[in-house]
Amino acid sequence: GCSENFEFKNYTIITSQCKGPHYPADRCCAAFKEFACPYAELLNDLTNDCASTMFSYINLYGKYPPGLFASECREGKQGLACP
Amino acid sequence: ANYVPADEYFLNCGGPNGETPGQKWTSDIASSFLQKSGSSTAAKASTQDPSVSEVPYMTARVFSSVFTYSIPVGPGRKFVRLYFYPVSYDNRNASNAVFTVTAQSYTLLKNFSAFQTTQALNYVSLVKEYSVYVEGDKLDITFKPESKISNSYAFVNGIEVVSMPDIYSTTDGTTKIVGQDSPFIIDNTTALENVYRLNVGGNDISPDKDTGMFRSWYDDTNYIYGAAFGVPETADPNLTITYPDGMPSYVAPLDVYSTARSMGPNARINLNYNLTWILSIDSGFSYLVRLHFCEVASNITDINQRVFDIFLNNQTAQEGADVAGWANRHNGVPVYKDYVVFAPTGDPQQDMWLALHPNTASKSQFYDAILNGVEVFKVNDTTGNLGGLNPTP
Amino acid sequence: RRMRYYISYGALSANRIPCPP
């Protein structure tokens, strides 16, 4: 399970910045990081299902194509750097 | 060879001349296309979302009363594309922009709110594409604010009118309504709205990379049902795509036919799922569904190797589809098939299901399916209307 | 040094389109 409840987070951080029809990678990834970095430790711990739960809600609220963030967001070898 | 349109207009409404990849925009200010007597204002967008280009989105022509563009064109079919960036113009409230747009005798948009539509789709801008047959020597596009809404207005950021070849008509009667055996005729009296154009198994294709018709093609993954993505396939580099006689090469770009999506290497798994796309459509209209096929695998070059059934809205549209068979026992040869489905009235929008499943009756070598591209067009109803209801955010 | 946080590709792969069967 996931100790963080992702159901009622403020997804407008992402949905206001990352929009169709082209879903620009720079805007979508920056907004994704802004939303997700506070939960980085939880998300990186793959023994819980926080990451998949979070992405389900992000895709639901933003009507995003499946796989959008995983396919568009690339940075260094450790992953996406948080501020 | 690409199609070369005789008429090609890219009007930047309310703004200056400009360029976007492959498209030269001309200002409509003081243009002879504007209705002489009509009143309209050229306005700047109140905000610029970084993902919209200056041209044509940062300026608009705003109408508080009925207004017509009269564009001189030769007779024949035209693509009409309307560009909308629904922010505030001239300090007006974006949600008051509710209007109707007609072209010749067809209603393209009715009670249209670009603002509500972009909210519902979480889009920043919209391009609405139509195909209209022009009899005479000009195309009239009329904007009419919704009278039932106080201080309503109409606006448009860009108007594109390009000649197109008559590649979507079905006058030969071979296009059937799914589930019935009756032919469905699309001819010069039919207006169409393109609602989906997907490069299945491939990437987005921008208008300048189309075959001269400035169509946009989108990656199909947004519409795959569930997580059943199957396998994207790309033609081997040494496989040349050769269009069969009688099929103009501008029907679809090479990138559509050289990429595809299939079900995967494991027959047992393939027999237990349908490769499915879900496409939200307006209720109460008929739809022309064009499926593009081309065998891209080097080991599939004969009949009865990859045979599958095609379902549209849970009805069998095609039994025993055999792409290599349709292509005279070749791979690398594009083929397309047209079907018509009717979306009964009810909720404002409904889901159209497009599903593929192996045809085991054929005992084909591979229990698999393949698709390269999908185009879906809304067909005008008996009153000449193409306008659906705005989607609910 | 303060621990610098990253969102790992492992976390991102939860958004990945599942591998073909």
Side-chain angles (χ1 to χ4, degrees):
Chain A
C2 181
S3 55
E4 187 69 44
N5 180 351
F6 277 100
E7 187 168 4
F8 300 108
K9 297 293 181 195
N10 167 20
Y11 290 96
T12 46
I13 297 174
I14 301 179
T15 55
S16 61
Q17 297 293 315
C18 177
K19 289 176 177 285
H22 300 294
Y23 306 107
D26 53 341
R27 316 262 320 293
C28 292
C29 298
F32 168 68
K33 287 195 327 182
E34 196 182 331
F35 173 86
C37 277
Y39 315 108
E41 270 196 280
L42 263 180
L43 298 171
N44 293 342
D45 168 7
L46 304 184
T47 62
N48 64 50
D49 64 1
C50 293
S52 53
T53 307
M54 173 191 72
F55 278 118
S56 304
Y57 284 117
I58 290 177
N59 286 343
L60 180 74
Y61 282 101
K63 300 174 194 62
Y64 293 121
L68 177 74
F69 299 96
S71 59
E72 284 198 341
C73 303
R74 283 270 171 290
E75 278 184 29
K77 63 182 189 306
Q78 285 112 315
L80 310 181
C82 290
Chain B
N2 278 355
Y3 179 73
V4 181
D7 300 303
E8 193 177 309
Y9 294 102
F10 293 92
L11 291 179
N12 182 17
C13 302
N17 295 351
E19 287 211 20
T20 52
Q23 297 164 323
K24 277 191 181 342
W25 295 83
T26 43
S27 171
D28 77 343
I29 294 170
S31 155
S32 60
F33 306 161
L34 300 182
Q35 176 186 332
K36 304 283 173 289
S37 55
S39 76
S40 69
T41 48
K44 284 193 175 313
S46 51
T47 56
Q48 172 156 15
D49 183 296
S51 56
V52 297
S53 55
E54 182 74 27
V55 170
Y57 292 111
M58 289 313 288
T59 60
R61 187 162 292 282
V62 181
F63 317 101
S64 352
S65 55
V66 183
F67 190 93
T68 297
Y69 281 84
S70 288
I71 300 172
V73 293
R77 267 212 178 261
K78 312 293 166 198
F79 269 131
V80 176
R81 295 184 180 103
L82 305 175
Y83 293 70
F84 298 105
Y85 175 44
V87 292
S88 167
Y89 294 95
D90 270 356
N91 300 320
R92 294 165 186 262
N93 190 328
S95 54
N96 284 344
V98 183
F99 52 95
T100 292
V101 182
T102 59
Q104 304 310 69
S105 59
Y106 299 99
T107 301
L108 308 183
L109 291 160
K110 194 161 71 168
N111 260 337
F112 173 61
S113 162
F115 179 73
Q116 182 176 330
T117 304
T118 51
Q119 294 287 312
L121 299 175
N122 196 25
Y123 273 27
V124 72
S125 60
L126 284 176
V127 180
K128 301 289 281 183
E129 176 188 292
Y130 303 92
S131 165
V132 175
Y133 186 85
V134 175
E135 295 283 351
D137 57 1
K138 69 182 173 72
L139 169 63
D140 287 340
I141 303 176
T142 301
F143 294 81
K144 181 175 173 299
E146 187 46 55
S147 48
K148 288 196 279 302
I149 295 181
S150 56
N151 51 48
S152 67
Y153 65 97
F155 79 98
V156 64
N157 297 86
I159 298 177
E160 174 187 336
V161 176
V162 290
S163 307
M164 59 174 281
D166 192 3
I167 54 172
Y168 297 110
S169 296
T170 66
T171 47
D172 62 3
T174 56
T175 300
K176 302 280 193 285
I177 299 176
V178 171
Q180 304 169 24
D181 215 9
S182 42
F184 190 95
I185 302 298
I186 289 173
D187 59 17
N188 292 346
T189 65
T190 314
L192 300 171
E193 175 189 350
N194 176 260
V195 291
Y196 291 99
R197 183 171 285 116
L198 306 177
N199 178 11
V200 176
N203 298 320
D204 289 3
I205 299 174
S206 54
D208 57 316
K209 299 278 190 314
D210 184 38
T211 55
M213 290 180 246
F214 303 99
R215 298 169 299 183
S216 294
W217 298 76
Y218 288 93
D219 174 342
D220 69 308
T221 44
N222 300 8
Y223 306 97
I224 288 274
Y225 173 59
F229 289 93
V231 177
E233 289 192 25
T234 305
D236 300 318
N238 52 23
L239 174 69
T240 43
I241 308 281
T242 38
Y243 291 82
D245 297 345
M247 176 177 174
S249 60
Y250 45 66
V251 160
L254 268 182
D255 276 1
V256 169
Y257 288 120
S258 58
T259 59
R261 190 178 296 282
S262 57
M263 297 185 78
N266 187 319
R268 229 175 359 88
I269 291 181
N270 296 357
L271 290 178
N272 283 307
Y273 85 101
N274 289 356
L275 186 53
T276 306
W277 293 261
I278 297 205
L279 306 170
S280 177
I281 53 175
D282 290 335
S283 300
F285 292 94
S286 294
Y287 288 84
L288 167 68
V289 179
R290 170 162 293 181
L291 303 180
H292 295 274
F293 299 100
C294 180
E295 271 299 348
V296 291
S298 49
N299 62 332
I300 297 189
T301 57
D302 209 341
I303 57 170
N304 218 31
Q305 288 189 272
R306 178 161 32 195
V307 182
F308 54 96
D309 299 332
I310 303 170
F311 304 102
L312 271 167
N313 276 355
N314 298 331
Q315 295 181 73
T316 305
Q318 182 78 49
E319 202 152 7
D322 184 340
V323 176
W326 284 336
N328 270 330
R329 314 175 91 132
H330 286 96
N331 59 5
V333 173
V335 169
Y336 62 82
K337 294 286 179 188
D338 291 341
Y339 306 92
V340 170
V341 286
F342 179 63
T345 46
D347 294 338
Q349 278 83 29
Q350 59 186 266
D351 287 338
M352 179 199 287
W353 286 61
L354 166 59
L356 309 180
H357 189 75
N359 173 292
T360 48
S362 63
K363 301 223 175 314
S364 56
Q365 183 181 353
F366 302 105
Y367 284 163
D368 198 354
I370 185 169
L371 181 59
N372 301 62
V374 180
E375 289 179 280
V376 180
F377 294 89
K378 183 196 291 177
V379 180
N380 70 272
D381 66 13
T382 49
T383 69
N385 174 44
L386 281 165
L389 299 174
N390 295 307
T392 349
Chain C
R1 248 166 29 91
R2 249 163 31 85
M3 158 76 174
R4 185 167 175 71
Y5 280 118
Y6 290 86
I7 294 173
S8 69
Y9 293 119
L12 267 176
S13 65
N15 179 237
R16 179 173 308 294
I17 291 181
C19 300

